[in-house]
Amino acid sequence: MRARLMPTLSVLLAGLAQAVSTAAPGSGQPLWWLQILSLSVLGWQLNGCAGNLASWSSSTWSDAERRPPWQTGWRGAAWLGWVFATAWLSGTFWWLFISMHTYGGLPAALAVLAVGALAGALSLYYAAACAVFFKLFVRLPGAGWSFSALVFAASWTLAELARGRWLTGFPWGAGGYAHTLGPLAGHAPWVGVYGIGAVAAWAAFMLPGIVSVVPGRMRRVAALAAVVVVLPLGARWAIPSFTHSTGSLDVALLQGNIPQDEKFQPGTGVEDSLRWYGGALKDSRASLTVAPETALPLLPQQLPSGYMEALQARFSRSAALIGVPLGNPREGYTNSVMGMKPGLAVVYRYDKHHLVPFGEFIPPLFEWFLGMMNIPMGEFLRGGLTQPSFDWKGQRLAPNICYEDLFGEELGVRFADADRAPTILVNVSNIAWFGDSVAIDQHLQISRMRTLEFERPMLRATNTGPTVIIDHRGQVTASLPRLTRGVLQGVVEGRSGNTPFANWVSVLGLWPVWALALGVLAAAAWRARRWRD
């Protein structure tokens, strides 16, 4: 019985390992090798679904004869892909339980069910990808292992793209984020996180192939895999940067560490936020001061008398970006960043574009679900995709709020005009909703990937962490300890010029990745049809 369940158990454990790879508990660091190794287990088990249908499959890796029917064929491939992805995604964003139960008041059982349902639903993309791959896999007995690995990578990448785009998109924990360190990081300015994920998927499927192909071809297959994986590591240092310096700016990033269960409570968290952030803004001597998302938890018209006027007077010689809700009952509300600087007739404003389902807007037919939780300001208006940068001291600062930095294709739109492209990215967040969890570390890796893709530094001002300065090479140059109150003083160097990724994603979005992946599957389907004929 144990042997019959081994394929399912192995991919379940591999999926949990995939979750760990994006930010290891304890260190918070990505483990690129674990991401590839864990995905290779799924590739190995998918090969096992094929039985003797693939002439190049080795009996060492193919055990369909010993499996029950539900773990063989295309249905078995879909099942194994779904189990892997459900374990991976549940292990990646389990911390949604904290926001729904601890702070939202949803009963624990329902919060667990909601996280599991979300992971299971998103995993259907990967189940479909594995089923499609298998249908092509068994019809390509004459193909080499490297081509089959290419088909697997294309199928897997389409699933990643679908998860990141459809139904508002939630690509948190995508495989490419495990590679902000390691050899594949060198691909980022060329192909972005999805391209890195595709290369990693190809390498993952190649691993069992290196063992199972006939010995005479083993060295060539291993050499090909090594070149694809290792080449960008050397290229990252050998190829000059695509960007150049636009000068430096001294900054102060504020981290108030306001408890989430008090943040919007009058008499406690609201007064604490206004007092501490107001004092820190007043005392800052940096050229630019940045306060996190909803640092001021009240609408400007609700602030104490003279509070806003005092802030505007304070920034008559320096500048500030401050997270604050804006709007009114008649026009609606936005989650925004307000900018102040000398000589500014109208306060700068950036409104969040990519809103969080259930936290910032209610998806159709789900009003009942939000009604079961106690989450303030659950309905916001969406800002435009292309909003102007905040110009200061020769730098063009482009704000984004919370998990907006998860969508590199949306940030990339701002790089369509290279002469007006941002020189510094600024993320303001409040992920206190997720407590002292791995979400803090995962979000840092997401921001690091954006700096690698665009070769732009990023300032991250957050309520509980990580408040950091990241340079254009993805290196954290200054940081505050998480879950502490403090001000991070540092210097950031702006950058100008576009990476290849910025050039194509700003015009075409992610369509080239979609087209390439679909093209590979179309070529495989054509080849399979010719084989049958």
Side-chain angles (χ1 to χ4, degrees):
M1 182 64 179
R2 185 183 303 173
R4 291 166 63 86
L5 293 177
M6 189 56 65
T8 297
L9 292 175
S10 64
V11 298
L12 187 149
L13 294 175
L16 294 175
Q18 182 91 173
V20 169
S21 70
T22 55
S27 70
Q29 293 300 306
L31 303 174
W32 65 269
W33 55 269
L34 183 60
Q35 191 273 328
I36 293 176
L37 184 62
S38 58
L39 189 55
S40 72
V41 173
L42 176 62
W44 163 39
Q45 294 295 354
L46 291 178
N47 180 34
C49 290
N52 297 319
L53 294 174
S55 62
W56 36 262
S57 293
S58 166
S59 60
T60 303
W61 300 96
S62 180
D63 60 347
E65 297 85 353
R66 298 191 300 273
R67 294 185 180 190
W70 54 275
Q71 293 184 97
T72 59
W74 70 267
R75 293 180 180 84
W79 165 254
L80 294 176
W82 184 84
V83 170
F84 176 92
T86 300
W88 159 35
L89 298 179
S90 298
T92 296
F93 49 67
W94 61 267
W95 34 260
L96 290 173
F97 170 88
I98 300 174
S99 63
M100 289 187 287
H101 172 63
T102 304
Y103 300 120
L106 191 68
L110 289 179
V112 170
L113 182 62
V115 173
L118 176 61
L122 294 176
S123 296
L124 293 174
Y125 293 127
Y126 301 94
C130 290
V132 168
F133 164 71
F134 180 85
K135 296 289 282 187
L136 295 171
F137 178 79
V138 299
R139 287 169 171 77
L140 293 170
W145 190 281
S146 57
F147 181 75
S148 296
L150 194 63
V151 176
F152 175 76
S155 302
W156 197 256
T157 301
L158 287 173
E160 290 273 57
L161 288 167
R163 175 165 73 98
R165 180 63 181 174
W166 294 342
L167 302 177
T168 80
F170 191 53
W172 194 287
Y177 289 111
H179 297 274
T180 56
L181 295 174
L184 295 189
H187 284 302
W190 296 89
V191 297
V193 68
Y194 289 108
I196 290 176
V199 174
W202 181 84
F205 198 82
M206 290 291 286
L207 281 181
I210 291 172
V211 177
S212 63
V213 296
V214 293
R217 298 170 56 194
M218 186 183 302
R219 287 190 297 272
R220 293 196 299 274
V221 173
L224 178 61
V227 167
V228 171
V229 173
V230 176
L231 183 62
L233 180 63
R236 188 178 182 187
W237 304 110
I239 298 176
S241 175
F242 297 103
T243 61
H244 57 272
S245 175
T246 57
S248 299
L249 190 66
D250 63 295
V251 299
L253 310 180
L254 311 185
Q255 180 175 291
N257 196 35
I258 310 297
Q260 189 59 42
D261 54 355
E262 299 179 8
K263 184 174 176 62
F264 295 100
Q265 296 298 319
T268 54
V270 170
E271 281 69 15
D272 190 16
S273 294
L274 297 181
R275 180 175 57 255
W276 189 84
Y277 281 113
L281 287 163
K282 178 182 178 181
D283 295 339
S284 175
R285 295 296 176 262
S287 179
L288 173 71
T289 305
V290 185
E293 178 185 14
T294 59
L296 307 183
L298 297 177
L299 298 165
Q301 59 267 31
Q302 296 173 327
L303 292 170
S305 177
Y307 191 98
M308 183 60 69
E309 292 76 10
L311 282 180
Q312 291 176 318
R314 161 66 186 83
F315 292 101
S316 60
R317 295 185 180 180
S318 57
L321 292 169
I322 306 168
V324 60
L326 298 176
N328 56 64
R330 181 173 58 86
E331 298 176 352
Y333 302 99
T334 58
N335 187 358
S336 302
V337 172
M338 178 175 60
M340 299 178 180
K341 66 178 181 179
L344 196 63
V346 178
V347 171
Y348 170 85
R349 173 174 177 170
Y350 170 80
D351 298 330
K352 188 178 182 185
H353 169 75
H354 205 117
L355 303 179
V356 178
F358 305 109
E360 294 173 323
F361 79 96
I362 307 172
L365 307 179
F366 278 92
E367 290 83 356
W368 62 272
F369 184 72
L370 190 68
M372 297 179 66
M373 294 185 288
N374 180 29
I375 296 180
M377 297 183 182
E379 189 74 19
F380 283 107
L381 299 176
R382 190 185 306 273
L385 184 58
T386 55
Q387 300 180 56
S389 298
F390 181 71
D391 294 339
W392 177 242
K393 296 290 185 180
Q395 306 293 344
R396 295 182 293 274
L397 298 113
N400 58 85
I401 301 175
C402 190
Y403 84 150
E404 281 191 304
D405 63 345
L406 183 56
F407 302 93
E409 67 277 14
E410 294 181 358
L411 299 187
V413 173
R414 307 182 191 188
F415 290 80
D417 181 358
D419 293 332
R420 291 298 303 166
T423 60
I424 299 172
L425 302 175
V426 182
N427 178 267
V428 297
S429 294
N430 173 37
I431 52 176
W433 288 104
F434 312 122
D436 185 12
S437 70
V438 73
I440 294 176
D441 303 308
Q442 291 169 346
H443 200 182
L444 176 58
Q445 303 312 322
I446 291 167
S447 295
R448 293 180 68 187
M449 181 58 70
R450 300 290 87 83
T451 67
L452 291 171
E453 289 173 341
F454 297 108
E455 285 195 3
R456 290 297 192 277
M458 184 178 289
L459 305 175
R460 300 196 77 252
T462 71
N463 181 30
T464 56
T467 295
V468 299
I469 300 173
I470 311 172
D471 69 13
H472 69 288
R473 292 285 190 179
Q475 301 300 311
V476 175
T477 60
S479 64
L480 283 179
R482 61 202 285 170
L483 301 175
T484 61
R485 177 172 289 184
V487 179
L488 178 62
Q489 304 278 354
V491 176
V492 61
E493 180 189 64
R495 307 287 295 189
S496 183
N498 278 3
T499 62
F501 173 79
N503 282 329
W504 64 258
V505 82
S506 63
V507 178
L508 301 172
L510 294 175
W511 285 112
V513 187
W514 282 94
L516 186 59
L518 288 169
V520 170
L521 295 189
W526 176 80
R527 186 169 180 174
R529 182 174 181 180
R530 287 196 62 189
W531 180 270
R532 289 198 306 271
D533 295 342

